């Protein structure tokens, strides 16, 4: 018979993997757009006052962060990846707000920030430091 604790762990693991896979998909897709220097994304990025070359740096770090979050073990590396996702997404939201961009430009960053927080919160014990 399955205990309440086992059911809770199973539910949390399902939540973790659903949100983590959506987070990974979102980060990889936005990284690809940045690395391929999509015209609209370059325009959006530079309208925030950032140089276009920063897109390459952020795109590479997003892909490395996704790898860190998805691979087994290395919990400290995962902490760094989640922190990076949090900083880049919260920074994007603040940048869009400071530049008076409409809510549609903020939505993608906000969604990825929420996915980051939910994935981080529900991560299994073997993916946590300590």
């Amino acid at each position: 018979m399955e205990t309440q604790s086992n059911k809770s762990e199973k539910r949390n693991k399902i939540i973790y993997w659903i949100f983590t896979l959506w987070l990974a998909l979102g980060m990889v897709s936005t990284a690809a757009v940045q690395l391929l220097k999509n015209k609209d994304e370059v325009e959006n990025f530079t309208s925030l006052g950032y140089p276009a070359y920063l897109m390459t740096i952020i795109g590479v770090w997003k892909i490395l962060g996704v790898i860190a979050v998805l691979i087994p073990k290395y919990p400290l590396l995962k902490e760094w990846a989640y922190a990076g996702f949090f900083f880049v997404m919260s920074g994007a939201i603040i940048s869009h707000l400071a530049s008076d961009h409409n809510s549609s430009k903020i939505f993608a960053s906000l969604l990825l920030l929420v996915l980051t927080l939910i994935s981080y919160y529900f991560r299994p014990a073997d993916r946590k430091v300590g």
Side-chain angles (χ1 to χ4, degrees), residues 16 20 23 64-71 78 81-82 85 119 127:
Y16 166 78
T20 301
L23 171 64
L64 292 173
V66 166
I67 293 167
V69 167
L70 293 179
I71 62 172
K78 291 177 191 327
Y82 279 115
F85 290 161
S119 173
R127 292 177 170 264

Side-chain angles (χ1 to χ4, degrees), residues 31 34-35 45 53-63 88-89:
Q34 291 168 333
L35 292 171
F45 206 81
Y53 70 81
L54 188 57
M55 292 173 62
T56 302
I57 296 168
I58 291 174
V60 167
W61 282 111
K62 282 181 180 179
I63 290 170
V88 79
M89 291 302 106

Side-chain angles (χ1 to χ4, degrees), residues 3-120:
T3 67
Q4 187 63 30
S5 176
N6 287 345
K7 284 182 184 177
S8 181
E9 282 181 36
K10 187 175 180 179
R11 177 189 62 99
N12 287 355
K13 201 171 230 182
I14 291 168
I15 292 169
Y16 166 78
W17 279 110
I18 289 170
F19 282 88
T20 301
L21 291 174
W22 278 107
L23 171 64
L25 179 65
M27 288 297 178
V28 168
S29 64
T30 57
V33 167
Q34 291 168 333
L35 292 171
L36 295 172
K37 300 285 192 281
N38 173 279
K39 182 183 168 221
D40 292 336
E41 184 64 15
V42 171
E43 196 175 289
N44 181 41
F45 206 81
T46 55
S47 74
L48 295 170
Y50 298 115
Y53 70 81
L54 188 57
M55 292 173 62
T56 302
I57 296 168
I58 291 174
V60 167
W61 282 111
K62 282 181 180 179
I63 290 170
L64 292 173
V66 166
I67 293 167
V69 167
L70 293 179
I71 62 172
K73 302 182 183 172
Y74 307 104
L76 185 59
L77 188 59
K78 291 177 191 327
E79 291 283 328
W80 281 78
Y82 279 115
F85 290 161
F86 178 84
F87 295 140
V88 79
M89 291 302 106
S90 61
I93 292 166
I94 293 165
S95 295
H96 286 299
L97 289 171
S99 299
D100 291 325
H101 283 177
N102 63 35
S103 59
S104 68
K105 299 218 183 221
I106 296 168
F107 179 76
S109 301
L110 181 60
L111 176 61
L112 286 171
L113 180 63
V114 169
L115 291 172
T116 298
L117 294 171
I118 294 171
S119 173
Y120 182 80

